[in-house]
Amino acid sequence: ISLNPTIIVIFGGTGDLNLRKLAPALYNLYAEGYMPEKFAIIGTARRPLTDVKFRETLMEGVNSFSRTGKVHKEKWDNFSQNVHYNPIDVKDSASFDTLKDTLDKFKNEFGPDTQIVYYLAVSPDLFPSIAKRLAKFKLAENEDNCRIVVEKPFGKDLETARELNEILRERFKEKQIYRIDHYLGKETVQNIMAFRFANSFLEPLWNRNYIDHVQISVTEQLGVGDRGGYYDGSGALRDMIQNHLLQLLCIIGMETPINFDADEIRDKKVDVLKAMRPFSAEDIRFNTVRGQYTKGWIRGDEVPGYRSEKDVDKQSNTETFAAIKFFVDNWRWKGIPFYVRTGKRLSQTSSLITIQFKDVPHQVFPASVAEHWQQNRLIISIQPEMSIRLQVQGKRPGLDMTLNPVDMVFDYKGTYTTESPEAYETLLLDVMTGDQTQFMRADQVEIAWELLMPVINAWESKKSLSFPNYAADSWGPEDAEALIARDGFHWFTLP
Ligand code: NAD
């Protein structure tokens, strides 16, 4: 790819996200030849730091967190020559004058085609200050060459998301705004699009006539760790379902796009959100389950309950688990449940999408096959295993007709020798090439909030009397099993 010279300004340059994700991603892009020939990475934060010290800090981050392990000395030295540090207090306008001088210096050196990416890797309450000052100091005026990347969370509810969208859209064109949902950058998530739309055999089956139900399950073994302060004001609905899980649901549920144009794809995803059945009070009672973990044991270690985690309210009403039954009311999906669950301190860390097909219309085999009978399932494993499995019935070798379910497996490890890039590598490259396909448009974010607001409001206004209601190393509260078992199904997990 031939890219124009690029300046990447990272607000929050000394922060966790930069050290863990952005710096390793940029270094790996460089090491694999994907960075523009001329580029500058300018880290910014409040404290004074020399370029040399900043480069050392980033190198530690890359060495600890990069998928490719420790840096290659020569490549790192060449890469880090392009890394600089510029102290900025984003609440102080004078800082933006000095940023302007730095940008002008690089623009003069790089030429008129230079593009600038502003990456907002700071706490969300600073997003407005930065956006306003970038506009005030005319630092992002060129709508073709200046882009702004906004991290999650995008708002805390519908109202704050709208406010943030307004602040951004009054100052920048939508085509300049890149709202990150890093799930969309994952290799296996992008592959769902390839699987659905580059193969002809699936489409005739991909609807209410042949599909029984869909499950989307994103479970984590970890607790909140050091993020208690943030998480306690957020919870599983806001932190995971409003963004990542609903986006996965959109990719499974969307109509076939006409082409791979960013807005065409985002239009099709928005259509799914628009078709989702709004929650009545009754739906909230019967189709949603919330949970909070209590202390327990994970791999021989005792782990604290949520209310005893650092920076968490001792009486917290925040959910660390949520399970919801959604419906998409359109011709393709009417009546087909989409069960979605996510939670912390569960038995497994895994992201799985399971599509269960309807049973055969008539059983031709002897009654004895019922013992191992299993309806066909398509299982898309996003992480940690990266695979797609089709569970089919097969004949077990032998003289009698015994059937058992077998898996036809496409597994990344066995199929490809190249390692998959990290989501942030893919997404940062997309920002540099100006491809918004995998980023959230203003309307996507707002409709997703709008859909969930009744649930958020109900859960916040009525304290759960059963919290904490699931043990660490379990599959969440019993009600979550009941939610799906009532319809005759079970949550699927990989062994
Ligand atoms: P952090 O607290 O580690 O880093 C914040 C950064 O902002 C630091 O560099 C700090 O110096 C800087 N900063 C604070 N006040 C400032 C000011 N007034 N002027 C200039 N700089 C200032 O936070 P983080 O974990 O890196 O998260 C950053 C953003 O990324 C947040 O929106 C977060 O929700 C999001 N995010 C983080 C992760 C992650 O893995 N850490 C994952 C997903 C999303």
Side-chain angles (χ1 to χ4, degrees), residues 110 124 277 295:
F110 289 174
R277 190 180 300 170
K295 68 178 178 188

PDB file of all heavy atoms in Angstrom, residues 110 124 277 295:
ATOM      1  N   PHE A 110       7.326  17.042   5.286  1.00  0.00           N
ATOM      2  CA  PHE A 110       6.693  15.922   4.575  1.00  0.00           C
ATOM      3  C   PHE A 110       6.004  16.335   3.266  1.00  0.00           C
ATOM      4  O   PHE A 110       5.772  15.499   2.411  1.00  0.00           O
ATOM      5  CB  PHE A 110       5.648  15.237   5.458  1.00  0.00           C
ATOM      6  CG  PHE A 110       6.210  14.442   6.609  1.00  0.00           C
ATOM      7  CD1 PHE A 110       5.345  13.884   7.553  1.00  0.00           C
ATOM      8  CD2 PHE A 110       7.574  14.233   6.751  1.00  0.00           C
ATOM      9  CE1 PHE A 110       5.847  13.139   8.622  1.00  0.00           C
ATOM     10  CE2 PHE A 110       8.083  13.497   7.822  1.00  0.00           C
ATOM     11  CZ  PHE A 110       7.213  12.951   8.756  1.00  0.00           C
ATOM     12  N   PRO A 124     -12.695   9.490  28.526  1.00  0.00           N
ATOM     13  CA  PRO A 124     -13.744  10.069  27.679  1.00  0.00           C
ATOM     14  C   PRO A 124     -14.169  11.489  28.073  1.00  0.00           C
ATOM     15  O   PRO A 124     -14.637  12.247  27.220  1.00  0.00           O
ATOM     16  CB  PRO A 124     -14.920   9.118  27.845  1.00  0.00           C
ATOM     17  CG  PRO A 124     -14.398   7.922  28.510  1.00  0.00           C
ATOM     18  CD  PRO A 124     -13.076   8.199  29.101  1.00  0.00           C
ATOM     19  N   ARG A 277     -36.438  -5.445  18.173  1.00  0.00           N
ATOM     20  CA  ARG A 277     -37.685  -5.183  18.911  1.00  0.00           C
ATOM     21  C   ARG A 277     -37.391  -4.367  20.167  1.00  0.00           C
ATOM     22  O   ARG A 277     -36.574  -4.755  20.988  1.00  0.00           O
ATOM     23  CB  ARG A 277     -38.335  -6.510  19.294  1.00  0.00           C
ATOM     24  CG  ARG A 277     -39.736  -6.346  19.854  1.00  0.00           C
ATOM     25  CD  ARG A 277     -40.332  -7.691  20.212  1.00  0.00           C
ATOM     26  NE  ARG A 277     -40.423  -8.578  19.059  1.00  0.00           N
ATOM     27  CZ  ARG A 277     -40.721  -9.870  19.147  1.00  0.00           C
ATOM     28  NH1 ARG A 277     -40.965 -10.433  20.322  1.00  0.00           N
ATOM     29  NH2 ARG A 277     -40.787 -10.612  18.058  1.00  0.00           N
ATOM     30  N   LYS A 295     -17.229 -13.979  45.583  1.00  0.00           N
ATOM     31  CA  LYS A 295     -15.878 -14.545  45.603  1.00  0.00           C
ATOM     32  C   LYS A 295     -15.902 -16.026  45.253  1.00  0.00           C
ATOM     33  O   LYS A 295     -16.953 -16.674  45.302  1.00  0.00           O
ATOM     34  CB  LYS A 295     -15.231 -14.303  46.953  1.00  0.00           C
ATOM     35  CG  LYS A 295     -15.869 -15.064  48.079  1.00  0.00           C
ATOM     36  CD  LYS A 295     -15.121 -14.773  49.351  1.00  0.00           C
ATOM     37  CE  LYS A 295     -15.803 -15.518  50.489  1.00  0.00           C
ATOM     38  NZ  LYS A 295     -15.285 -15.162  51.785  1.00  0.00           N
TER      39      LYS A 295
END
